[in-house]
Amino acid sequence: MSESGNGSPAVLTLNAGSSSVKWALFRMDSLPVRTATGKIERIGLRDGIVTVTDVATGHNERRIEQVPDHAASVRLLIDQLAYSGKGLSVQAIGHRVVHGGSRYADPQVVSAEVMEELRRLSPYDPEHLPAEITFIEAFGTEYPQVPQVACFDTGFHQHLPPVARLLAIPRRYETLGIRRYGFHGLSYAYLMEELERVAGRDAARGKVILAHLGNGASLAAVRDGVSIDTSMGFTPASGLPMSTRSGDLDPGLVSYLARTEGMTTEQFHHMVNAQSGLLGLSEISPDLRDLLAQEGRDARAAEAVALFCYQGKKWIGAYAAALGGLEQLVFSGGIGEHAAVVRARMCEGLEFLGIHLDREQNEANVAVISSPESRVTVRVIRTDEESQIAQSVCRLLALNEVR
């Protein structure tokens, strides 16, 4: 992949997490066209996993690599791009940045000022921001002439009303930026665009609940195309229980565990982000597929699945109340797109809201899974954060117009 000049214009998207990084290459046509994707997983563990897919041929490669840290993953990725990006000339690099704080909502061209603010925000999200900063710096060094764009996961929720934004703690902390932000914004922005495409503008401007259910899980209430509430708050650990994150907890646990077990703030942070959720409850696995396979013979697995579905149902009910009704319910994310049993259990008992699923349609994972008598249209839409990043980069830099 050349930096400029030779080859078809392309955009590279990067989504760096605490132990993984996902990437995609898009050729610039009238709309971005994905040509290759990849993922580096288990960074820092004994056996890293590198996956690369050539979209045109469908060829998929998976191999084991030693990836001791993010610096090593950067080198691996740059080497891979030299192969996957043949014939492409990268015009811009888009990064998913989980937290934009109070200052950044819209995509930003990376500058010294932006980097300074991201470093200041690192304590807001130590699970993601340090890795994202590492990748921005490394690719800035590797491709110094190529503009980089930060796309913020918090941006979709920038207009949360005060009643959904404020935390009930002393007011002075709000001036320090401590409030509810919400996350999964790139996914939600994509889902709203897709909803308008498949169902029309009126549907997308109605009363909508979006459920992004994956390793990280959250829901958002959207009215007139604007987020009015969302389950994640100041950090991505809040809201629903997730694969390894606790979701909402009684804050009194912090002082209780400090007194009784001598638990430090760092240990508590690690526990609620990496040892809790489905993994902590089941003591088996953070993967819902594993728990569904074992729930018939292991009570811990069954209870973990039941709690996840029960909490999802509660948020749907709460957001129907916040919206003053419900017209569209959209499931997405790895669990939301593929786990029919989870969708069914979350919707069970919500007939009073007008939600009725078609069992066969739900089990077939089709686009509309509600029955004809359902007042609420229940949909399954595959999310695509990488495509959303690429489109945001193109809009900001007017790359299609340059061509």
Side-chain angles (χ1 to χ4, degrees):
M1 184 176 67
S2 62
E3 187 172 326
S4 61
N6 298 324
S8 301
V11 169
L12 168 67
T13 67
L14 295 170
N15 183 345
S18 57
S19 61
S20 67
V21 58
K22 293 188 290 185
W23 61 270
L25 277 170
F26 292 83
R27 187 179 68 251
M28 298 313 307
D29 292 330
S30 57
L31 291 173
V33 177
R34 194 187 317 261
T35 64
T37 64
K39 189 172 184 179
I40 302 173
E41 302 174 85
R42 295 173 58 84
I43 297 171
L45 300 179
R46 178 176 297 178
D47 295 319
I49 302 172
V50 178
T51 308
V52 180
T53 301
D54 184 308
V55 175
T57 65
H59 176 71
N60 187 68
E61 176 190 348
R62 185 179 186 274
R63 65 183 188 273
I64 303 299
E65 293 270 2
Q66 298 301 312
V67 192
D69 51 32
H70 282 90
S73 69
V74 168
R75 191 68 259 164
L76 261 177
L77 179 50
I78 289 172
D79 290 344
Q80 179 62 50
L81 291 172
Y83 177 80
S84 296
K86 286 180 179 176
L88 298 177
S89 171
V90 61
Q91 302 294 302
I93 301 171
H95 298 264
R96 175 192 179 224
V97 177
V98 169
H99 219 306
S102 301
R103 186 170 179 180
Y104 295 129
D106 298 326
Q108 300 287 320
V109 175
V110 172
S111 63
E113 181 181 4
V114 169
M115 292 301 292
E116 181 181 356
E117 180 67 3
L118 294 183
R119 294 187 189 98
R120 189 188 71 81
L121 291 173
S122 282
Y124 281 39
D125 187 5
E127 298 298 310
H128 298 93
L129 277 175
E132 291 159 357
I133 290 169
T134 294
F135 271 81
I136 292 172
E137 291 175 336
F139 277 82
T141 300
E142 187 72 17
Y143 303 104
Q145 303 304 314
V146 175
Q148 299 193 83
V149 175
C151 300
F152 300 98
D153 238 1
T154 47
F156 183 77
H157 308 290
Q158 62 181 303
H159 298 299
L160 283 179
V163 71
R165 186 180 69 235
L166 293 171
L167 294 171
I169 57 177
R171 275 280 187 175
R172 66 181 183 274
Y173 291 108
E174 185 188 8
T175 64
L176 301 177
I178 299 175
R179 63 174 178 83
R180 300 185 71 252
Y181 286 95
F183 301 91
H184 286 143
L186 295 172
S187 174
Y188 289 143
Y190 178 84
L191 293 176
M192 289 303 296
E193 290 183 6
E194 276 295 287
L195 179 60
E196 182 168 345
R197 186 183 70 82
V198 300
R201 181 177 176 84
D202 288 346
R205 293 299 181 270
K207 299 170 182 178
V208 180
I209 294 176
L210 305 173
H212 177 110
L213 308 178
N215 286 329
S218 72
L219 286 86
V222 183
R223 186 170 56 216
D224 298 324
V226 177
S227 174
I228 66 162
D229 207 345
T230 188
S231 57
M232 286 179 172
F234 179 65
T235 77
S238 57
L240 284 170
M242 303 167 229
S243 292
T244 63
R245 299 177 195 156
S246 64
D248 287 347
L249 293 174
D250 184 334
L253 274 175
V254 178
S255 60
Y256 174 78
L257 293 175
R259 291 194 308 271
T260 60
E261 296 190 5
M263 184 176 288
T264 66
T265 54
E266 289 79 9
Q267 289 169 332
F268 185 85
H269 176 87
H270 180 70
M271 180 187 76
V272 299
N273 279 281
Q275 299 175 325
S276 298
L278 298 177
L279 175 62
L281 283 169
S282 70
E283 300 180 316
I284 297 170
S285 171
D287 193 317
L288 190 73
R289 292 168 295 187
D290 296 338
L291 303 184
L292 286 170
Q294 298 191 50
E295 65 173 343
R297 56 181 179 272
D298 193 307
R300 298 168 304 168
E303 288 177 350
V305 174
L307 179 60
F308 181 77
C309 295
Y310 174 67
Q311 290 292 330
K313 179 189 297 187
K314 283 175 61 177
W315 285 102
I316 293 171
Y319 285 160
L323 289 165
L326 180 60
E327 295 161 346
Q328 304 280 333
L329 172 60
V330 178
F331 286 99
S332 194
I335 296 170
E337 293 164 22
H338 302 292
V341 65
V342 170
R343 296 192 298 260
R345 292 178 187 178
M346 284 190 177
C347 292
E348 184 180 1
L350 297 182
E351 291 81 9
F352 73 98
L353 290 177
I355 296 175
H356 297 266
L357 295 192
D358 182 302
R359 181 177 176 180
E360 292 184 358
Q361 297 290 85
N362 182 43
E363 292 179 353
N365 293 319
V366 298
V368 176
I369 60 173
S370 47
S371 61
E373 69 267 24
S374 182
R375 297 196 309 273
V376 176
T377 303
V378 186
R379 301 177 183 275
V380 178
I381 299 179
R382 181 184 177 276
T383 194
D384 191 343
E385 293 167 314
E386 287 74 26
S387 175
Q388 185 67 26
I389 294 170
Q391 291 184 49
S392 296
V393 169
C394 291
R395 284 193 290 261
L396 181 64
L397 302 179
L399 292 183
N400 291 332
E401 295 177 19
V402 171
R403 292 192 67 207

